[in-house]
């Protein structure tokens, strides 16, 4: 991870505004900072304006602003970007300021903000500030509240932030295409009093999904439900950074869903409370304990927990959402002895692969040839071998000795003696079991439907 301050120095010379607007206009526009890497950038404390505690955008960054006559000015540039989904795969997406998702916008309740949006896409766009209370004319719905932002033009949105909470931004123009291409970002409104809702670590990410055929790089934009890449901030495991914290710290995770299906986000280890919804913060008396929270389409959820030492998996609980693109349309072969059949089929169809007759864990360990620019279906390695996960999966890594503000991956957890599952090698008592029903020819031929159609 690079410190954002270092990044600012490096990016200081970049000025993108001039290409999209007239020379006179460019002088008035705030700098459009760009960032093309996928490493988590830790935002610095706000250099001016009301103080707040910045969030850490997973594999993302926060957009710097300029203060002009008491107004916070941001500059978003909608443009094609290249995003590394995970090492080994890059996607041609659309995003903002060099990345998909775009940078997180962070400001404070009561702030007057002005957001310039420059359109460098090949078609019109607009930006809707999802969940933010604002004048109707600033709501960004093409045709309803504004004309589209034409190619090459810059629009200006200006409003006062009324309520703290977790929000998002995305286009309201050719939405199905533009969201399928990755145009979205987080919009965080911090409370006026930085001590209110204070936590030690505050993470945020957006659930998104793509349909990118193995071997290609551009999403299919007409896919309605059957996406094959399930991502957090346009990253798939093992490309998703861990959530790092120190034992005992209060940790918040904010999740927004801009996919076309719901995601039950499940965290192992500490129980959490849902503390924030689309409408703002939940009063303490109304919070309830959970280990899974379902995030519906278009929703935002914030949850908090007290960190307990360990390596805790965090993932979407729809198991096909923790897989990458390969592996769809595979028949279930558990219990079928297909050794002879497989040999014959391989002769006819060279790329035919037999999927596990004993389950599919072996897939996670074998290195099969896959097309270029494609992620293995199940991947990732931990201290005990193959993890066999992809997609919407990461790890909450809590240690006793993490410094404040340190988000570096601390490596695998060292389990204290007596707290680690291990193989039993003692004597086995004799077991008596009821006889299993005899399998006849019919039951062996049963094959589960596998077409992946319709969900
Ligand atoms: Cu999911």
């Amino acid at each position: 991870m690079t410190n954002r301050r270092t990044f600012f120095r490096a990016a200081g010379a970049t000025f993108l505004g001039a290409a999209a607007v007239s020379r006179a206009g460019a002088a008035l526009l705030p700098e459009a900072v760009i960032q093309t890497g996928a490493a988590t950038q830790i935002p610095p404390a706000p250099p001016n304006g009301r103080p707040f505690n910045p969030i850490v955008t997973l594999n993302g960054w926060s957009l710097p602003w300029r203060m002009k006559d008491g107004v916070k000015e941001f500059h978003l540039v909608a443009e094609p970007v290249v995003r590394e989904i995970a090492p080994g795969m890059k996607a041609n997406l659309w995003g903002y300021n060099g990345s998909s998702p775009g940078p997180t916008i962070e400001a404070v309740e009561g702030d007057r903000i002005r957001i310039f949006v420059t359109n460098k896409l090949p078609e019109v766009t607009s930006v809707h500030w999802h969940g933010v209370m604002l004048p109707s004319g600033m709501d960004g719905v093409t045709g309803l509240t504004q004309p589209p932002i034409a190619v090459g033009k810059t629009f200006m949105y200006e409003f006062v932030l009324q309520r703290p909470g977790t929000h998002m931004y995305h286009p309201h123009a050719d939405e199905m295409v533009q969201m399928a291409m990755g145009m979205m970002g987080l919009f965080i409104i911090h409370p006026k009093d930085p001590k209110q809702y204070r936590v030690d670590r505050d993470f945020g990410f957006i659930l998104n999904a793509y349909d990118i055929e193995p071997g290609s790089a551009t999403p299919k934009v007409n896919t309605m439900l059957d996406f094959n890449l399930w991502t957090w901030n346009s990253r798939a495991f093992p490309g998703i950074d861990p959530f790092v914290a120190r034992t005992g710290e209060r940790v918040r995770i904010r999740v927004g869903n801009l996919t076309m299906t719901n995601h039950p986000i499940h965290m192992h280890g500490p129980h959490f409370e849902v503390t924030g919804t689309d409408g703002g913060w939940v009063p303490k008396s109304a919070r309830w304990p959970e280990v899974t929270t379902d995030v519906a389409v278009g929703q935002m959820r914030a949850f908090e927990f007290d960190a307990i030492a360990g390596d805790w998996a965090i993932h979407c609980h729809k198991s096909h959402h923790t897989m990458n693109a390969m592996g769809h349309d595979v028949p279930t072969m558990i219990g079928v002895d297909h050794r002879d059949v497989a040999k014959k089929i391989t002769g006819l169809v060279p790329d035919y692969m037999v999927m596990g007759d004993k389950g599919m864990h072996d897939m996670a360990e074998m290195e099969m040839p896959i097309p270029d620019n494609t992620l293995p279906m199940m991947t990732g390695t931990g201290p005990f071998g193959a993890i066999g996960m992809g997609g919407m999966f990461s790890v909450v890594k809590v240690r006793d000795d993490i410094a404040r503000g340190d988000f570096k991956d601390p490596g695998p957890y060292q389990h204290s003696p007596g707290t680690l599952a291990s193989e039993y090698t003692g004597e086995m008592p004799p077991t008596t079991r009821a006889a299993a029903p005899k399998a006849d020819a019919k039951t062996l031929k049963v094959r589960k439907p596998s077409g992946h159609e319709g969900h």
Side-chain angles (χ1 to χ4, degrees), residues 5-85:
R5 269 170 264 241
T6 327
F7 159 67
F8 281 149
R9 271 199 300 273
T14 319
F15 190 88
L16 282 189
V21 294
S22 71
R23 199 168 288 178
L28 302 171
L29 274 173
E31 177 189 358
V33 178
I34 64 157
Q35 167 66 282
T36 55
T40 304
Q41 306 287 340
I42 314 304
N48 55 44
R50 294 184 172 98
F52 65 84
N53 303 301
I55 77 154
V56 170
T57 305
L58 206 61
N59 295 101
W61 57 295
S62 291
L63 187 62
W65 67 85
R66 148 180 106 177
M67 197 63 107
K68 195 181 178 197
D69 304 326
V71 181
K72 270 182 189 165
E73 289 188 337
F74 297 86
H75 190 176
L76 282 177
V77 177
E79 60 184 355
V81 302
V82 174
R83 175 71 164 179
E84 187 194 62
I85 302 284

Side-chain angles (χ1 to χ4, degrees), residues 262-264 316 318 321 392:
N262 62 313
H263 300 279
C316 174
K318 288 184 176 174
H321 291 181
M392 295 178 159

Side-chain angles (χ1 to χ4, degrees), residues 30 48-50 52 63-76 104-117 127 129 132-135 138 155-162 167-169 186-190:
N48 55 44
R50 294 184 172 98
F52 65 84
L63 187 62
W65 67 85
R66 148 180 106 177
M67 197 63 107
K68 195 181 178 197
D69 304 326
V71 181
K72 270 182 189 165
E73 289 188 337
F74 297 86
H75 190 176
L76 282 177
T104 299
I105 295 173
E106 296 190 77
V108 181
E109 174 191 11
D111 279 355
R112 172 173 286 273
I113 65 167
R114 188 177 297 133
I115 306 174
F116 296 88
V117 179
V127 183
W129 316 100
V132 179
M133 290 173 76
L134 36 61
M138 292 293 167
F155 254 61
M156 211 171 71
Y157 297 87
E158 183 172 333
F159 41 91
V160 176
L161 303 179
Q162 298 178 42
H167 311 291
M168 301 185 276
Y169 64 91
L186 282 169
F187 192 134
I188 307 296
I189 304 177
H190 292 281

Side-chain angles (χ1 to χ4, degrees), residues 135-401:
S136 166
M138 292 293 167
D139 203 35
V141 182
T142 303
L144 180 66
T145 65
Q146 67 165 80
I149 308 174
V151 176
K153 298 290 184 192
T154 296
F155 254 61
M156 211 171 71
Y157 297 87
E158 183 172 333
F159 41 91
V160 176
L161 303 179
Q162 298 178 42
R163 295 180 67 190
T166 307
H167 311 291
M168 301 185 276
Y169 64 91
H170 64 79
H172 241 292
D174 195 14
E175 280 158 69
M176 190 166 151
V177 167
Q178 296 192 5
M179 293 217 265
M181 289 295 285
M183 301 197 70
M184 52 194 71
L186 282 169
F187 192 134
I188 307 296
I189 304 177
H190 292 281
K192 212 174 239 174
D193 175 4
K195 287 198 280 296
Q196 202 182 7
Y197 317 119
R198 174 140 177 69
V199 289
D200 299 303
R201 293 181 191 241
D202 199 340
F203 297 92
F205 65 90
I206 290 179
L207 301 156
N208 42 16
Y210 298 98
D211 186 12
I212 303 178
E213 289 213 358
S216 67
T218 304
K220 287 155 76 177
V221 292
N222 289 321
T223 296
M224 290 184 282
L225 292 169
D226 203 3
F227 297 86
N228 64 8
L229 262 177
W230 301 97
T231 52
W232 292 357
N233 280 352
S234 304
R235 294 283 281 181
F237 184 75
I240 302 174
D241 278 341
F243 302 82
V244 176
R246 183 191 177 102
T247 308
E249 278 183 330
R250 186 74 174 169
V251 180
R252 177 185 296 138
I253 297 180
R254 309 175 190 238
V255 188
N257 182 1
L258 288 178
T259 72
M260 296 304 122
T261 188
N262 62 313
H263 300 279
I265 299 301
H266 173 58
M267 187 179 76
H268 301 203
H271 296 174
F272 61 75
E273 291 179 315
V274 176
T275 56
T277 70
D278 308 57
W281 296 103
V282 182
K284 269 205 171 111
S285 58
R287 296 174 185 177
W288 65 92
E290 280 287 15
V291 293
T292 304
T293 188
D294 196 20
V295 190
V297 181
Q299 276 189 335
M300 284 134 328
R301 288 289 177 266
F303 57 86
E304 293 173 26
F305 56 94
D306 297 320
I308 299 171
D311 275 349
W312 307 112
I314 179 170
H315 58 95
C316 174
H317 216 287
K318 288 184 176 174
S319 50
H320 66 296
H321 291 181
T322 53
M323 303 240 140
N324 293 328
M326 300 295 291
H328 287 230
D329 302 321
V330 171
T332 296
M333 299 296 276
I334 293 173
V336 178
D337 185 347
H338 50 241
R339 279 167 294 191
D340 290 343
V341 183
K343 231 177 266 166
K344 284 177 196 152
I345 299 178
T346 317
L348 297 166
V349 188
D351 62 348
Y352 177 78
M353 217 179 83
V354 177
M355 303 307 237
D357 53 333
K358 301 173 192 72
M360 301 228 279
H361 179 78
D362 289 355
M363 294 277 305
E365 280 168 353
M366 81 204 236
E367 304 213 339
M368 64 171 195
I370 52 172
D372 284 348
N373 200 47
T374 299
L375 300 173
M377 175 172 74
M378 305 187 289
T379 176
T381 309
F384 301 100
I387 295 176
M389 292 280 176
M392 295 178 159
F393 181 95
S394 185
V395 182
V396 174
K397 293 193 170 198
V398 183
R399 304 288 184 270
D400 296 340
D401 55 355

